[in-house]
Amino acid sequence: MRHIANLTLWALCLTGCGDTLALRYNQAVATAAIMAGGCRDTLSDASEHQVAACGDILKTGNKAGAQVCLDKWRALHDKIGEVCKAAKIGAKAAFDAGPVIEAAATKKTDMLGWIARLVALGADVVKALGEAGLKLPGGAP
Amino acid sequence: VTEILPLIISGVSKLVGLIEVWSGASEEKKAEILAKAKTLVDGLDALFDADDAKDKAAMDAFQVQINDADRLPAEERAPNPNQAKDPTP
């Protein structure tokens, strides 16, 4: 029974799943691009709040505390920024690679590999933001 | 038979579902997704550049404020809750 099911799936895949995979590939690219943009926007919003919070420290006359606050935030900002940038580069590279992969003999495995990479980049974004207590708009806390 | 039949029906319905998924990707849908992906990817550099510039400007401006903090008038400073209170009456 399992062999029949596998054979059926294989036969169906021969006819249609390459096209569907291409669709899923472009959906994955679009999702990665949204994740990258969302990551950068979330970071920018957080930066505004964080700098304001450091400003509150400065208003109390605590110059050293404000400097520590800014330095800490700058380091975290750079760290998250790199993750957002990696997602952006990944989305762009995957989009550019699309036509090449489409024409390749190893199309299906290549596409699945790229999709997996894009998913991993998205997971990195969520992790980096989460570690800083941030989340993508509409994302789970 | 009563146990096997629902399994077969469920298997067949799942296969029909898969066929629908596989055949459901119309050319219009594919072109639409591709165009959407292109728009999103193309807009990323501008978005990142704008956010980078905005964040850097805000942080640099705040650094200037910190550097100039000694010259901040006393009335602009909020009371520091951590500062020891003057015990003299």
Side-chain angles (χ1 to χ4, degrees):
Chain A
M1 187 67 182
R2 191 157 24 110
H3 293 302
I4 294 169
N6 282 339
L7 196 66
T8 314
L9 288 172
W10 181 77
L12 283 168
C13 215
L14 266 186
T15 56
C17 93
D19 284 346
T20 305
L21 196 56
L23 179 75
R24 296 281 174 260
Y25 180 81
N26 287 322
Q27 281 176 333
V29 172
T31 306
I34 290 169
M35 293 283 269
C39 178
R40 194 62 193 80
D41 270 349
T42 302
L43 178 61
S44 199
D45 286 348
S47 190
E48 217 174 300
H49 288 111
Q50 192 57 46
V51 172
C54 296
D56 289 342
I57 296 174
L58 185 64
K59 278 181 190 165
T60 66
N62 187 354
K63 185 178 169 176
Q67 186 65 64
V68 169
C69 178
L70 179 63
D71 290 346
K72 268 188 183 173
W73 173 246
R74 214 188 271 272
L76 188 57
H77 182 282
D78 288 352
K79 189 180 156 194
I80 300 170
E82 285 303 314
V83 178
C84 300
K85 202 173 156 191
K88 178 188 85 163
I89 292 168
K92 281 169 73 98
F95 184 80
D96 291 343
V100 180
I101 297 169
E102 188 82 30
T106 51
K107 174 178 165 177
K108 283 173 194 168
T109 46
D110 286 357
M111 279 189 171
L112 285 171
W114 270 102
I115 290 171
R117 257 172 262 159
L118 292 172
V119 169
L121 287 169
D124 287 348
V125 163
V126 173
K127 190 181 166 209
L129 291 175
E131 280 172 359
L134 305 171
K135 59 174 184 152
L136 287 166
Chain B
V1 174
T2 51
E3 286 174 8
I4 293 169
L5 202 60
L7 278 175
I8 293 172
I9 292 168
S10 140
V12 169
S13 66
K14 276 177 187 166
L15 275 177
V16 170
L18 282 173
I19 293 165
E20 278 172 5
V21 168
W22 277 324
S23 60
S26 65
E27 284 304 318
E28 292 80 19
K29 181 82 178 164
K30 281 181 218 163
E32 185 193 325
I33 298 286
L34 185 66
K36 183 80 181 163
K38 183 170 169 38
T39 308
L40 287 164
V41 166
D42 285 350
L44 282 177
D45 278 336
L47 186 143
F48 271 63
D49 288 349
D51 280 349
D52 283 348
K54 185 183 140 199
D55 291 357
K56 189 181 180 308
M59 284 191 266
D60 288 351
F62 184 59
Q63 183 62 64
V64 171
Q65 271 185 45
I66 293 174
N67 296 343
D68 292 349
D70 294 334
R71 279 176 277 163
L72 198 67
E75 62 268 22
E76 281 188 28
R77 291 184 200 149
N80 184 353
N82 298 324
Q83 220 162 31
K85 283 181 183 167
D86 188 359
T88 52

